Amino acid sequence: NYTIRGLLNVGADSTNGTPVTWTETTPTVGGMYKAINQAMSLISQNRFEDAEAIIMHPAHWFWLAAQTDSE
């Protein structure tokens, strides 16, 4: 069985997971980091363990990298 264990697919209609909403008219790196840190804090509070990984859509990662890289 090749099922990845420990990942939870949380849809909009799901009551499982730890949803964090991030909405800004003009998105900023600081706002994204704040949302990620909020999610990590909630995970720690609910699991009593730290998050081991952050998985995000490649488009979000590349946007974040483009905001912090001047090359």
Side-chain angles (χ1 to χ4, degrees):
N1 188 335
Y2 295 102
T3 302
I4 299 174
R5 300 190 186 280
L7 296 178
L8 178 63
N9 185 3
V10 180
D13 60 346
S14 177
T15 57
N16 297 319
T18 307
V20 172
T21 303
W22 172 47
T23 306
E24 289 183 335
T25 306
T26 305
T28 64
V29 172
M32 185 172 186
Y33 277 128
K34 181 179 177 183
I36 290 170
N37 286 325
Q38 181 183 6
M40 292 173 60
S41 174
L42 291 171
I43 289 167
S44 295
Q45 290 174 30
N46 292 328
R47 289 183 66 212
F48 301 106
E49 292 185 28
D50 293 334
E52 297 174 7
I54 298 171
I55 300 172
M56 68 177 67
H57 191 283
H60 298 149
W61 172 254
F62 290 124
W63 174 84
L64 183 61
Q67 302 305 308
T68 57
D69 188 359
S70 61
E71 294 297 317

